[in-house]
Amino acid sequence: MSPPHVLVLTGEADPHADHIRHLLAGRGARTTVFDNRDYLTRAHVELAYTARGLTRRLLHTESGTLDLDTLTALWWRRPTPPEAHPALTDPSVAAYAAQESVNLITDLWEHLPCRTVPARESVFRRAAHKPSQLMLAAELGFEIPETLIATQADALWDFHNRHDGHIVTKPMGKPWVGNLAGGHTVTRHCEFVSARDLAYAEALRFCPVIAQQYVPKRLELRVTVVGRRVFAAEIHSQESNRSRVDWRLYDIEVTPYGVHRLPDEVAQRCLAMTDRLGLDYGAFDLVLTPDGRYVFLEINPNGQWLWIEELTGLPISEALCDLLLEGA
């Protein structure tokens, strides 16, 4: 019998992928790493059909040929988009070729006959939409912050006044804008709305943001669901001024981390939410308030976990290996 074979889709310098590859090798499994960016430049795909349907589905790379129908699992980690071949010097032609490559490679990973973690790309892309997450979380019994998503200044001013100024904003999706003038990148996480921000509220007409009532915190929680297993870590973000509003500003030397005993009903809501979203994996951000309430903020369908595992000892990586090899 052939050993299990996992295809890992990711870009360069991914410690998470390197760690899982090492663990899978220790279990006797094969791993192949591929970045979508390499399609057309250092690899190519071969799909063949007869009148009766698909007959072969091959990925040719510099290291050999992979029969995609023999895979045990596909782990959609963090690949980068395909690039046009450098021989295409006309920008319009290069952009067209790159988009055609995206169309092919995206569809290819949607239909492989194996487990896909966290889910097929179309599924986890949809699961990442924050407005839908809030609606589903409330339906499943989570408490959520009072929230406003609008592109009118009057709406933000009214929301700010109703909550006595205790509101924060955060982006709808990606928290950074790169390739700005001078090569700069601007990053914005969750931040309090200041008087200066309100003075520029008319700029909402250019781009929506999420505004929420600020939730007081005793702890912040990172809850990682892997298959049917739930791993909860507590982040004492209030111990540091840097991380008080958003723990992703990290002050690890000051901020304690630990394993958290999550109430069963909260853990079941997390599992129910990943089920409804069609995910085998999800990283939840929750708040535990000073009066003991668990409040849902969001779920990242492809969030990082290695740092929290190293700080708490939670066996998240081993659980992910179990999931990738399940049924092999």
Side-chain angles (χ1 to χ4, degrees), residues 200-222:
Y200 290 93
E202 292 290 350
L204 280 178
R205 70 185 187 277
F206 300 121
C207 182
V209 296
I210 297 174
Q212 291 184 321
Q213 178 185 14
Y214 179 71
V215 180
K217 303 170 183 178
R218 181 198 306 173
L219 300 170
E220 294 191 70
L221 302 174
R222 181 71 161 199

Side-chain angles (χ1 to χ4, degrees), residues 221-299:
L221 302 174
R222 181 71 161 199
V223 179
T224 307
V225 173
V226 185
R228 308 309 300 169
R229 300 173 69 181
V230 180
F231 302 94
E234 57 187 40
I235 305 170
H236 295 252
S237 59
Q238 306 309 288
E239 297 294 321
S240 167
N241 286 332
R242 187 191 306 173
S243 62
R244 286 177 68 84
V245 179
D246 191 327
W247 59 259
R248 290 170 298 179
L249 294 173
Y250 299 112
D251 194 359
I252 291 176
E253 293 182 358
V254 175
T255 307
Y257 289 73
V259 176
H260 185 75
R261 176 80 171 99
L262 199 65
D264 289 343
E265 64 271 18
V266 179
Q268 289 303 314
R269 287 190 195 111
C270 292
L271 288 170
M273 191 160 187
T274 54
D275 286 345
R276 289 283 294 275
L277 293 173
L279 302 172
D280 277 335
Y281 174 95
F284 289 77
D285 290 329
L286 308 179
V287 167
L288 177 60
T289 66
D291 58 357
R293 295 176 291 117
Y294 287 85
V295 180
F296 171 91
L297 297 182
E298 61 186 70
I299 173 177

Side-chain angles (χ1 to χ4, degrees), residues 35-39 78-84 98 101-102 105 125:
D35 188 1
N36 290 342
R37 182 185 64 178
D38 294 336
Y39 178 62
R78 292 196 168 183
T80 50
E83 295 181 344
S101 299
V102 169
I105 210 76
R125 293 284 189 201

